[in-house]
Amino acid sequence: MTVTEPKTSGGVIGTRMLRKEDPSLLTGESKFSDDLVIPGALYIALLRATVAHARIVSIDTSAAKSSAGVVAVYTYDDLKDDWAGPMPCAWPVTADMKNPAHFPLANGKVNYVGDGVAVVVANSKTAAIDAIEAIEVEYEELTPVLDLEDSVSDSTVIHQDLATNSSYLWELIPNKDAVDEAFSNAVHTVKERYIQQRLIPAAMEPRSLVVVPAPFGGDFTVYTSTQIPHILKVMLALTLGISETKIRVVAPSVGGGFGSKLNVYAEEVLALAIARKLRKPIRWTEERTENALATIHGRGQVQDIELAADANGKITAVRVNILADMGAYLQLVTPGVPLLGAFLYHGVYDIPNYSFSCTGVFTNKTPTDAYRGAGRPEATYAIERAVDALARKMGVSAIELRRRNFIPKEAFPYPSAAGLTFDSGDYAANLDKALSILDIEPILAEKQARIDAGSTKVLGVGLSFFVEMCGLAPSRVLASLNYGAGGWEAATVRILPTSKVQVVTGTAPHGQGHETSWSMIVADKLGISPDDIEVLHSDTAIAPYGMDTYGSRSLSVGGSAIHLATEKVLDKARAIAAHQLEVSADDLEYSNGTFAVKGSPEKAYPLAAAAFEAFTAHNLPDGMEPNLEASVTWDPPNFTFPYGSHFAVVEVDTETGKVELVRYLAVDDCGNRINPLIIEGQIHGGLVQGIAQALYEEASYDAAGNLLTSTLADYLVPSATEFPFFELDHTVTPSPTNPLGVKGIGEAGAIASPPAIINAIIDALSHLGVSHIDMPASPQRVWETINNAGK
């Protein structure tokens, strides 16, 4: 498939259209799960472990059961017959992967602070929370395992039945001998160790759910703030032994996810099990501290990366070894997250020899799972930091070294040493555009002038050039990675008798603007107004098929399915028009909602007429079914590979360690652009999260395994005042692997910005002997690094 520009007719694609979703969100009309009025609903609250690693000696629930408003109190023993199996992990990355049984409530042992111990059911949220305080638990405390290298040693084994803390070893080493030879022959080598600290997703709206059983029969409707209503429905059915036909999952307004709502959580399983047991609606809404303790964490890696290069700085090999923190249990895709970056540790560089290995280990901490970028930020951070380290060692500029190693434009589609085929790119042109905007020479002159003057406020410039793997698909590739689902996406487009259009999508938005973008795709193809199009989503009763939203897959996979379904509808309408006009379908041109005979524009037939004719079915071509509707399930042939160059300019106060971000420039290439306004919003959000990782955020634990950052008073989520005006621009290299030529943008900012920021800080402090600093680069850490430099 070759695509240069999307096949469009309406002139809508590429315009800056305001989001259709926003009026209801801004006026408070949108409904979140906690807003739903459900008469007769009971509330649940969970008692969570206050120790990181312990056997449960006893649980006394008698006082809680007699508390005012309490309907029931359950422990694992009370509910163990209510589920068909443990919580699901859908990504067994190796055949011998160790996966400890993980139930919604602890079975005789707790393994992290926040682990569920008991659940109270009451007639109000307040009563449920109050009764939690009355439950008495006696623990036999065990030594917690918190450090990744301590975990590998197996000195204390968390899950005794597994006999080890290592979940798996996954390797991607196409030719070990070639890698070893490249390092033996290298003129220059660097070996670096980087830490990816744990992050707390901290979505605007915490998780919330309501399970409503039908008055008669065994049907259940699950309203939940999830990114994955379709996957959740399947997993709930399997975990609880309920027919999938009896479960409907609806995701109302979600309020942000960033991967944290890409999961099947204990509370969802518990609520459904209790609703089935009591035949009453059950609801639960997470407290912010629970969000920090019991939702997933992101990142959590120790990265060892080595580069080998020849005398000119041409990188000949990269070797990477990762220790990845799984936390106490494997959530839905926990073990696979490092694999999403495993193919990208060579970055945008033409590196012929590649070696990657990852050891996933358990710790007595909150489970990790996908967080915005999921594996790709980790890979980009390692390679972009390492390339800067190589440039410093060689005494060449970081920009020049990158130019020497870029995959050349003429090499695309590019078969990488890691085994993927990069679809398209022009990295040099993208960097040139960024440099033309940045005007780096005056910045470097000012930087040197401040050093010469002995200023305590120094400047630094950092570059990060990223590529990511988007559009989580195709299904056969996912199968080769043992992923437990496909990568396809489903869409239905129907033109109603009144010529209004309904679009049904299997994607489930949580802030990405799908209703707007999907309307634009269909409007552009049909030549009608986006206001005449309604997009239906996030309800498995309305959209029965879908693979949901994560991994920047929605547009390239879901949007392409919509585009193709629209083409099918238009072809059917064309056949109706040709039949009515008594001409061949090939003789018709289509523009602005009307078919016309080529060369005879007076012979015209509007799309609206075809829609009504399809409804009445009075004069359709022989054999044609009534109604104007088409469905498509699209399974793309490859991933997409967006890329871009990001520059950060920072000012560092050497007396206090404070880092101020002075400028940030992002020049991204996400292929063809549907709505530039939404693209910019997605980049802004990603940048804030990535810069926050570099400068502010870290989930910290004490020596006993207590989370020290369990509230927003302790976990530093930045506000708008911490950021400058982001400078954005773009290049366009369409993807040849989907009909829209799009690539993806939702995770780009979070991927590219951490190494850009840290490289800038090191650049600012290099004259003081600083060559490394860990994230987050807090004032205290920066000050200590300056004062320890050279010691």
Side-chain angles (χ1 to χ4, degrees):
M1 178 182 293
T2 300
V3 175
T4 54
E5 293 294 335
K7 300 174 183 177
T8 66
S9 56
V12 178
I13 285 181
T15 61
R16 298 173 66 83
M17 178 179 165
L18 292 175
R19 296 196 339 159
K20 298 171 69 172
E21 296 91 338
D22 287 345
S24 62
L25 289 166
L26 295 172
T27 58
E29 292 182 4
S30 290
K31 298 299 182 185
F32 297 81
S33 296
D34 200 47
D35 295 325
L36 302 178
V37 177
I38 309 293
L42 302 175
Y43 295 76
I44 62 172
L46 273 72
L47 174 69
R48 300 189 182 279
T50 56
V51 293
H53 194 200
R55 294 186 182 91
I56 299 173
V57 177
S58 64
I59 307 175
D60 184 354
T61 62
S62 57
K65 289 178 179 178
S66 62
S67 297
V70 170
V71 174
V73 181
Y74 300 116
T75 65
Y76 169 84
D77 288 337
D78 298 317
L79 295 175
K80 63 184 179 182
D81 295 330
D82 285 80
W83 35 74
M87 302 278 291
C89 174
W91 204 335
V93 295
T94 63
D96 60 349
M97 183 186 83
K98 305 294 191 299
N99 181 17
H102 179 201
F103 291 96
L105 295 175
N107 178 16
K109 187 168 175 282
V110 296
N111 290 308
Y112 69 99
V113 174
D115 212 350
V117 176
V119 58
V120 172
V121 187
N123 57 23
S124 73
K125 183 176 181 179
T126 302
I129 292 173
D130 287 347
I132 285 293
E133 303 295 327
I135 301 175
E136 294 183 4
V137 183
E138 181 182 350
Y139 293 110
E140 178 192 339
E141 293 197 43
L142 304 169
T143 303
V145 180
L146 304 172
D147 181 82
L148 294 185
E149 291 178 311
D150 288 345
S151 178
V152 173
S153 73
D154 290 333
S155 57
T156 298
V157 175
I158 298 171
H159 302 286
Q160 290 294 320
D161 55 321
L162 302 183
T164 178
N165 289 327
S166 294
S167 177
Y168 65 86
L169 170 64
W170 191 91
E171 295 180 311
L172 177 62
I173 308 175
N175 190 331
K176 184 179 184 302
D177 291 341
V179 172
D180 293 343
E181 183 178 358
F183 275 93
S184 296
N185 296 332
V187 177
H188 303 287
T189 61
V190 293
K191 184 175 183 179
E192 298 282 301
R193 167 165 283 203
Y194 304 127
I195 306 298
Q196 286 282 330
Q197 79 271 34
R198 279 174 165 252
L199 300 176
I200 299 172
M204 181 183 297
E205 300 292 337
R207 293 185 289 126
S208 182
L209 62 95
V210 189
V211 178
V212 183
F216 305 101
D219 291 15
F220 301 89
T221 300
V222 180
Y223 300 95
T224 182
S225 53
T226 184
Q227 299 173 220
I228 53 166
H230 297 90
I231 295 173
L232 178 60
K233 183 183 75 164
V234 172
M235 294 302 177
L236 288 176
L238 294 174
T239 304
L240 287 161
I242 299 173
S243 170
E244 189 182 347
T245 63
K246 300 297 183 181
I247 300 175
R248 174 191 180 193
V249 177
V250 181
S253 295
V254 171
F258 319 124
S260 69
K261 295 171 184 174
L262 192 180
N263 241 298
V264 179
Y265 283 108
E267 295 82 8
E268 290 161 325
V269 176
L270 281 170
L272 183 50
I274 294 169
R276 178 174 59 178
K277 181 184 288 288
L278 300 181
R279 302 306 304 173
K280 292 281 190 179
I282 301 295
R283 67 188 316 157
W284 173 80
T285 296
E286 183 178 61
E287 299 292 317
R288 184 57 67 178
T289 297
E290 287 182 295
N291 177 259
L293 289 172
T295 300
I296 59 96
H297 289 175
R299 315 293 188 248
Q301 288 185 1
V302 175
Q303 305 174 309
D304 290 304
I305 182 169
E306 301 173 78
L307 301 183
D310 65 18
N312 293 320
K314 178 66 175 71
I315 303 171
T316 56
V318 60
R319 183 160 53 203
V320 181
N321 292 285
I322 303 296
L323 273 180
D325 188 351
M326 304 289 98
Y329 302 103
L330 302 182
Q331 287 281 145
L332 192 64
V333 296
T334 303
V337 169
L339 275 60
L340 292 173
F343 299 89
L344 296 171
Y345 279 84
H346 54 64
V348 292
Y349 309 112
D350 184 18
I351 302 176
N353 301 299
Y354 193 76
S355 173
F356 174 90
S357 71
C358 175
T359 301
V361 298
F362 297 109
T363 59
N364 289 117
K365 297 180 181 179
T366 300
T368 60
D369 208 287
Y371 176 63
R372 198 169 192 166
R376 281 70 55 82
E378 296 92 315
T380 297
Y381 186 82
I383 186 62
E384 289 302 285
R385 287 287 313 277
V387 168
D388 260 35
L390 179 61
R392 285 193 300 273
K393 184 172 184 179
M394 293 181 60
V396 302
S397 81
I399 294 171
E400 173 57 28
L401 186 61
R402 284 172 170 83
R403 286 193 187 279
R404 294 180 190 179
N405 286 282
F406 276 156
I407 300 166
K409 176 183 178 180
E410 58 272 15
F412 290 95
Y414 173 77
S416 77
L420 297 181
T421 298
F422 287 20
D423 56 0
S424 62
D426 190 344
Y427 301 153
N430 182 277
L431 179 58
D432 288 343
K433 186 162 193 177
L435 289 170
S436 71
I437 298 167
L438 185 68
D439 193 14
I440 195 171
E441 293 305 325
I443 301 172
L444 296 178
E446 172 67 15
K447 169 190 169 184
Q448 189 59 47
R450 292 194 188 192
I451 293 173
D452 294 342
S455 174
T456 59
K457 292 187 176 181
V458 292
L459 289 180
V461 183
L463 165 61
S464 169
F465 204 113
F466 82 99
V467 64
E468 65 161 319
M469 178 179 71
C470 284
L472 194 59
S475 298
R476 289 186 178 182
V477 173
L478 297 180
S480 71
L481 297 173
N482 293 325
Y483 183 62
W488 51 266
E489 196 48 79
T492 297
V493 175
R494 60 176 68 102
I495 305 178
L496 303 173
T498 57
S499 76
K500 304 300 182 182
V501 179
Q502 279 186 341
V503 175
V504 181
T505 177
T507 64
H510 44 282
Q512 295 89 342
H514 290 184
E515 292 179 24
T516 305
S517 296
W518 288 192
S519 296
M520 292 176 71
I521 292 169
V522 176
D524 200 273
K525 190 68 182 175
L526 297 182
I528 63 176
S529 170
D531 293 336
D532 289 334
I533 300 166
E534 181 183 17
V535 178
L536 307 177
H537 57 82
S538 304
D539 184 339
T540 61
I542 294 173
Y545 297 109
M547 291 306 301
D548 304 318
T549 296
Y550 41 85
S552 288
R553 68 182 301 275
S554 294
L555 181 57
S556 62
V557 190
S560 291
I562 288 162
H563 174 85
L564 294 170
T566 307
E567 283 191 333
K568 288 179 70 173
V569 165
L570 197 57
D571 287 344
K572 185 172 182 178
R574 183 187 302 274
I576 294 172
H579 181 71
Q580 297 293 330
L581 295 172
E582 297 182 338
V583 298
S584 167
D586 294 337
D587 293 333
L588 294 179
E589 296 176 324
Y590 182 77
S591 179
N592 295 323
T594 300
F595 296 98
V597 178
K598 297 174 183 177
S600 302
E602 70 281 359
K603 293 184 177 181
Y605 192 79
L607 178 64
F612 197 75
E613 183 58 48
F615 167 67
T616 64
H618 290 171
N619 186 21
L620 295 178
D622 291 343
M624 178 178 284
E625 294 181 355
N627 296 314
L628 210 50
E629 176 180 296
S631 296
V632 164
T633 300
W634 164 250
D635 199 345
N638 194 8
F639 303 101
T640 62
F641 296 87
Y643 60 90
S645 47
H646 286 220
F647 280 91
V649 181
V650 301
E651 181 182 80
V652 183
D653 188 327
T654 58
E655 291 185 322
T656 66
K658 180 182 178 182
V659 177
E660 180 180 351
L661 180 58
V662 178
R663 285 183 70 184
Y664 198 96
L665 168 66
V667 178
D668 286 284
D669 194 313
C670 60
N672 290 324
R673 294 155 62 85
I674 302 299
N675 185 331
L677 194 63
I678 288 179
I679 290 171
E680 291 164 11
Q682 288 288 300
I683 295 172
H684 285 175
L687 288 178
V688 167
Q689 288 184 270
I691 296 168
Q693 177 176 11
L695 295 178
Y696 305 113
E697 297 185 20
E698 180 176 20
S700 299
Y701 286 82
D702 67 14
N706 296 300
L707 183 65
L708 300 176
T709 51
S710 60
T711 74
L712 293 182
D714 307 302
Y715 186 81
L716 186 53
V717 177
S719 67
T721 59
E722 278 75 47
F723 300 97
F725 176 81
F726 294 133
E727 302 169 64
L728 307 183
D729 214 310
H730 64 278
T731 57
V732 176
T733 54
S735 173
T737 64
N738 64 75
L740 290 171
V742 298
K743 292 187 174 181
I745 198 64
E747 297 167 309
I751 291 170
S753 56
I757 297 293
I758 299 299
N759 283 341
I761 294 171
I762 293 171
D763 182 62
L765 302 176
S766 60
H767 68 290
L768 300 176
V770 173
S771 60
H772 174 74
I773 189 168
D774 285 323
M775 298 186 290
S778 64
Q780 178 72 21
R781 181 167 282 164
V782 172
W783 184 85
E784 289 176 349
T785 300
I786 293 170
N787 283 275
N788 290 329
K791 292 183 180 178

